[in-house]
């Protein structure tokens, strides 16, 4: 977190970044931004900030570089995959289409608790003592002398197939139970009554096939349920289990080494004597895992060029991610170390606030390095600007389609850079949150995402691009099922 990463540069930046808002009460309270809409001035030639990569272009470069690396690897070796048990597959990416291993449902089942009937009514109620399918459950004999029509449980889920249902007969049946052969329909319990003679009467019209889930209604064996590249969500785990899977073939998750830079950082206790708590170390690794990465290591690195050089060049991770040290202060060593290591700078500064001094480099090994600013919210900006598209491409995840939503309040903008502002969804509007300075996390901690504010700001009702937080968008790539079979 050295040198504060040069977030403010000159009078214009002070005006652009100064949040003239009253302090809020609870951290999740949205607040309007009273600042006036600004017209961006013309760029000043020769200033370093105008050589920064535009925000959208920086994201495209990160994705493109990762795809190039993945293509180069694929031409030399097969794409690495592994089979993962269902209970360990959450958050992974499918390396092959998910095809049904059985019909769903695999037999005709009852959709409701009620009565299975055959032919027209009224129906004679038959007692049934079902035979369980499970070998560890003792069979219950079907003996008329010990089971009355009232006490017989009927056909239950998980029990063996029954004999065909005679014409004019009815039998109790539970939701999910196997339908007897020759059944006409299932009548819901609340839509039927029995009389004193042991006959069942329907209180509504009975339509053939009603409340019966026929075999293969959801899909047939061999149908493609999800494409390769879909993210495994909790719902996907359930679908895979229903379709007969015990494990899934998944793509290898990209690995990341996190290097937290700064001699001023404490890992526990209260700040004191010029030392501050490390907010990024506890935050970055879980955030990267939510983006689909495996964090191999998170470690502190002193403000020492030699130590940083060793940590970067000795890493075997697909991505090295550093925090702090990306500006030009006396102990900001990232740029000199990358030059010494023969790295190629792909992005050196992004026209975005917060997070302007972020960078992306391709190391001599072909792997990547993302340098995040040391200020916490600026680091979040770098994660979503550079690390997210890079990791998505490295991990084989589908590109998340951009979407826009109207902003409720006027939002102050930077004169010439994109601005990322934490927001909350309120009644189909984006509501900017307080505490959105580069060093603040209070706003993003209760945010639904970041709104992309163009240079000059936005007026109420303007449509802004939305960056969802990863835990708010797990299912983003799981619904592309043109060939799937769904009801």
């Amino acid at each position: 977190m050295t040198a504060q990463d040069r977030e403010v540069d000159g009078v214009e930046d002070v005006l652009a970044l100064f949040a003239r808002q009253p302090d809020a009460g609870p951290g999740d309270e949205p607040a309007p931004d009273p600042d006036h809409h600004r017209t961006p001035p013309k760029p000043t030639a020769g200033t370093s900030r105008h050589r920064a990569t535009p925000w959208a272009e920086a994201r495209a470069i990160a994705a493109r570089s990762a795809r190039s690396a993945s293509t180069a690897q694929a031409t030399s070796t097969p794409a690495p995959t592994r089979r993962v048990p269902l209970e360990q597959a959450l958050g992974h990416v499918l390396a092959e289409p998910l095809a049904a291993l059985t019909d769903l449902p695999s037999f005709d089942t009852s959709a409701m608790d009620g009565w299975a009937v055959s032919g027209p009514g009224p129906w004679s109620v038959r007692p049934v003592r079902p035979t369980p399918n499970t070998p560890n459950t003792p069979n219950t004999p079907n003996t008329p002398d010990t089971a009355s029509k009232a006490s017989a449980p009927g056909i239950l889920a998980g029990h063996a197939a029954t004999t065909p249902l005679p014409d004019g007969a009815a039998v109790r049946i539970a939701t999910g139970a196997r339908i007897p052969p020759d059944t006409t329909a299932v009548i819901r319990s609340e839509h039927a009554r029995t009389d004193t003679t042991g006959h069942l009467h329907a209180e509504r019209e009975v339509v053939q096939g009603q409340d019966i889930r026929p075999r293969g209604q959801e899909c047939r064996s061999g149908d493609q349920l999800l494409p390769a590249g879909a993210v495994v969500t909790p719902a996907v785990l359930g679908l895979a289990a229903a379709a007969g899977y015990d494990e899934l073939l998944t793509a290898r998750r990209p690995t990341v080494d996190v290097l937290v830079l700064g001699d001023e950082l404490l890992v526990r206790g209260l700040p004191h004597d010029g030392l501050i708590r490390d907010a990024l170390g506890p935050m970055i690794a879980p955030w990267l895992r939510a983006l689909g990465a495996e964090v191999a290591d998170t470690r502190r690195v002193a403000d020492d060029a030699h130590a940083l050089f060793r940590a970067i060049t000795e890493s075997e991770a697909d991505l090295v991610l550093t925090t702090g040290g990306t500006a030009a202060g006396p102990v900001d060593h990232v740029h000199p170390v990358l030059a010494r290591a023969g790295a190629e700078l792909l992005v050196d500064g992004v026209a975005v606030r917060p997070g302007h001094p972020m960078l992306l480099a391709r190391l001599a090994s072909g792997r990547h390095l993302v340098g995040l600013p040391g200020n916490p919210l600026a680091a979040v900006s770098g994660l979503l600007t550079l690390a997210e598209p890079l990791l998505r491409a490295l991990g084989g995840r589908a590109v998340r389609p951009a979407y826009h939503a109207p902003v409720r309040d006027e939002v102050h903008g930077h004169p010439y850079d994109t601005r990322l502002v934490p927001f909350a969804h309120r009644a189909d509007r984006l509501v900017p949150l307080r505490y959105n300075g580069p060093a603040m996390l209070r706003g993003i901690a209760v945010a639904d995402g970041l709104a992309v504010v163009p240079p000059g700001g936005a007026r109420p009702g303007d449509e802004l691009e939305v960056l969802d937080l990863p835990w708010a968008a797990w299912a983003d790539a799981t619904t592309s099922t043109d060939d799937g079979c769904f009801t």
Side-chain angles (χ1 to χ4, degrees), residues 443-467:
I444 194 67
V446 294
D448 295 317
L450 292 172
V452 182
V453 181
R459 298 184 183 278
D462 284 355
E463 296 273 337
L464 299 181
E465 184 176 350
V466 173
L467 297 178

Side-chain angles (χ1 to χ4, degrees), residues 238-431:
L239 177 62
Y245 285 85
D246 299 317
E247 57 184 16
L248 296 173
L249 184 68
T250 63
R252 184 183 70 86
R253 293 157 70 98
T255 57
V256 184
D257 279 341
V258 179
L259 307 180
V260 181
L261 313 182
D263 291 341
E264 77 277 22
L265 301 177
L266 292 170
V267 295
R268 58 179 54 85
L270 293 175
H272 62 88
D273 300 327
L275 302 177
I276 61 175
R277 279 296 297 268
D278 170 26
L280 296 182
M283 177 179 74
I284 295 296
W287 203 304
L288 292 170
R289 293 188 186 103
L291 293 176
E294 293 284 357
V295 179
D297 190 21
T298 299
R299 55 184 165 131
R300 297 272 305 279
V301 178
D303 284 328
D304 177 88
H306 298 293
L308 180 58
F309 178 83
R310 288 194 303 272
I312 291 175
T313 56
E314 293 174 2
S315 172
E316 296 183 355
D318 299 308
L319 170 65
V320 177
L321 189 142
T322 63
T323 68
T326 57
V331 290
D332 290 338
H333 298 303
V334 174
H335 280 91
V337 164
L338 290 176
R340 178 184 169 193
E344 177 189 2
L345 277 175
L346 304 176
V347 174
D348 189 9
V350 177
V352 67
R353 306 291 167 143
H356 175 269
M358 69 180 75
L359 62 84
L360 170 66
R362 183 184 293 115
L363 302 174
S365 63
R367 300 181 176 94
H368 290 83
L369 180 141
V370 168
L372 302 180
N375 275 322
L377 188 58
V380 170
S381 174
L383 275 173
L384 296 183
T385 300
L386 296 177
E388 189 269 346
L390 183 86
L391 290 171
R392 182 174 290 275
L394 286 175
R397 296 186 176 213
V399 175
R400 184 172 12 162
Y403 75 95
H404 295 71
V407 65
R408 191 189 72 180
D409 308 316
E410 186 170 7
V411 185
H412 179 59
H414 192 276
Y416 34 74
D417 289 351
T418 299
R419 187 175 174 216
L420 302 182
V421 177
F423 73 87
H425 284 295
R426 297 287 188 273
D428 299 325
R429 293 291 187 270
L430 307 179
V431 180

Side-chain angles (χ1 to χ4, degrees), residues 147-175:
S148 68
K149 294 179 181 180
S151 63
I155 306 171
L156 302 181
H159 290 258
T162 59
T163 57
L165 191 60
D167 187 53
V171 63
R172 282 195 177 276
I173 192 165
T175 301

Side-chain angles (χ1 to χ4, degrees), residues 435-449:
Y435 308 110
N436 53 31
M440 296 181 179
L441 286 175
R442 189 171 172 181
I444 194 67
V446 294
D448 295 317

